[in-house]
Amino acid sequence: DPRGVAQDAPTHAGPEAALPDYLSLALSSRGYCCAVVYDKVWLGSSDGAIYVFPSDATEGSPPLQRWEAHSMRIYDLCFLEEAGEVWSSSSDGSIAAWDALNYSLNSEWVAHDSHKCMVRSLIVVDDEVWSASPEEHTVRIWSSKTREFVARLEVGPVSSMALHGSAVWAVRENAVEMIDRRTHLSLGSWEADSALINTLASVRCTRSVWTCSSVVRVWTHDAASNDVELVEEMAVSSSRIMGMAEANGKIWTASSDDTILVWNAFTRRPLIEMTLHSQQGIRCMASLNDRMWCGTLDSQLIVFDMRRRRR
């Protein structure tokens, strides 16, 4: 296939399991994170550049914009819709705030004491932005309106975070800690996996949280009792799951062995299995306008169209 994508047979028969069509967009560096911003997709790359693509991009379309945002790898992007800004975080220890419409730099600062502390994860929580540095073993909280420092939480080497109900779920190697979104106090932690957890996501349609290593685990949280329950555990492969995103009642996961699975979020059963021959795998995923955007480590942006089926 000239675009480097090959599909295996779907795991289930029937029209819902038909394989989606796709297109490929070239990047000059590896895609590490992506975010939906209005009707566009922003992608942060391994060389510190940010790319912006329109939602209706076609095969081979160049980016609308590309600029050098950081001196080193961009680990995360988050969209602050009320402020009209996109924040980017980097392995150089900095956070930058960009105008979401004209792409100009509004502010940039060293977020975690020194340039040696990468900023691995960013999430928007009410009128705050939380940033995590696994090397510094802290989560720092910033005002989304003024960008001023609010609080510092000593929570260990947090690599990723997700907002779920009244709590922020923070991954700390193979453990998860829940932190109250308003008081910033810990609600408890537990060993959620025997291996390193690579990613997690809050699945709104089922009010659950999915954590992924080479195994997918589905959790629920009762806010009244603060009880956490493991609902199901699904073995995927021997490879690590690096990317995950929700779209239209389905969960997409991508493994380092180039396997993409599309799950029914309600039944937690796979509907489609595909293999992406990118040599190095998918690092990030985002859903926009019935399309799943996948940034790969071999410098491509693969876009699956969920409305169209492969013939």
Side-chain angles (χ1 to χ4, degrees):
D1 192 302
R3 289 175 287 188
V5 179
Q7 288 90 354
D8 295 330
T11 55
H12 292 280
E16 189 177 26
L19 298 170
D21 202 358
Y22 61 87
L23 58 89
S24 177
L25 306 173
L27 308 171
S28 59
S29 54
R30 299 175 177 182
Y32 260 85
C33 57
C34 48
V36 173
V37 180
Y38 299 126
D39 61 343
K40 299 176 178 63
V41 171
W42 289 41
L43 182 137
S45 67
S46 59
D47 64 357
I50 291 178
Y51 299 76
V52 179
F53 287 93
S55 61
D56 59 353
T58 57
E59 177 70 32
S61 294
L64 293 174
Q65 292 286 337
R66 179 193 179 278
W67 68 94
E68 302 298 328
H70 292 270
S71 62
M72 299 173 70
R73 176 184 301 165
I74 298 174
Y75 268 112
D76 210 355
L77 296 165
C78 70
F79 177 36
L80 288 66
E81 188 167 5
E82 289 188 10
E85 289 187 338
V86 178
W87 287 22
S88 58
S89 67
S90 172
S91 56
D92 66 9
S94 67
I95 293 176
W98 307 92
D99 189 290
L101 294 176
N102 63 30
Y103 318 123
S104 61
L105 178 63
N106 289 341
S107 184
E108 184 175 12
W109 65 98
V110 176
H112 285 262
D113 284 348
S114 87
H115 285 286
K116 296 180 181 179
C117 293
M118 70 174 73
V119 185
R120 189 71 177 268
S121 180
L122 292 173
I123 60 167
V124 179
V125 182
D126 303 319
D127 58 354
E128 299 172 338
V129 177
W130 294 31
S131 65
S133 171
E135 294 175 325
E136 193 188 50
H137 287 209
T138 64
V139 169
R140 297 201 177 199
I141 300 175
W142 312 86
S143 166
S144 62
K145 298 177 181 178
T146 65
R147 308 185 199 99
E148 293 178 348
F149 174 74
V150 174
R152 168 178 168 144
L153 310 179
E154 304 286 346
V155 291
V158 172
S159 59
S160 58
M161 300 180 288
L163 178 62
H164 181 70
S166 60
V168 172
W169 291 45
V171 167
R172 191 178 62 241
E173 296 177 339
N174 69 330
V176 173
E177 180 158 358
M178 288 193 305
I179 305 167
D180 189 281
R181 67 191 291 175
R182 295 180 178 85
T183 67
H184 305 159
L185 297 176
S186 176
L187 298 175
S189 63
W190 69 98
E191 188 175 296
D193 206 308
S194 60
L196 185 73
I197 300 171
N198 298 302
T199 186
L200 82 165
S202 175
V203 180
R204 295 180 181 178
C205 64
T206 59
R207 298 181 180 178
S208 60
V209 174
W210 291 40
T211 60
C212 298
S213 55
S214 59
V215 174
V216 177
R217 289 179 170 87
V218 181
W219 308 84
T220 58
H221 174 227
D222 187 320
S225 64
N226 200 34
D227 289 336
V228 176
E229 179 184 358
L230 175 60
V231 178
E232 191 158 356
E233 179 178 309
M234 299 95 79
V236 178
S237 69
S238 59
S239 299
R240 297 178 300 160
I241 296 172
M242 304 302 295
M244 179 166 51
E246 176 186 1
N248 302 327
K250 299 177 179 64
I251 308 297
W252 290 55
T253 60
S255 303
S256 56
D257 65 356
D258 286 345
T259 298
I260 299 174
L261 287 170
V262 183
W263 306 77
N264 183 309
F266 297 91
T267 65
R268 300 182 290 277
R269 296 294 176 264
L271 300 169
I272 303 172
E273 180 176 352
M274 302 175 280
T275 300
L276 173 69
H277 293 295
S278 69
Q279 307 302 318
Q280 299 182 58
I282 289 174
R283 182 63 177 81
C284 58
M285 309 178 87
S287 172
L288 173 64
N289 290 359
D290 292 315
R291 285 178 155 190
M292 186 60 69
W293 303 67
C294 305
T296 75
L297 295 181
D298 68 341
S299 305
Q300 293 186 81
L301 184 58
I302 305 298
V303 185
F304 290 95
D305 192 331
M306 293 175 269
R307 297 165 298 185
R308 300 174 60 186
R309 304 301 178 186
R310 293 279 292 169
R311 295 182 178 179

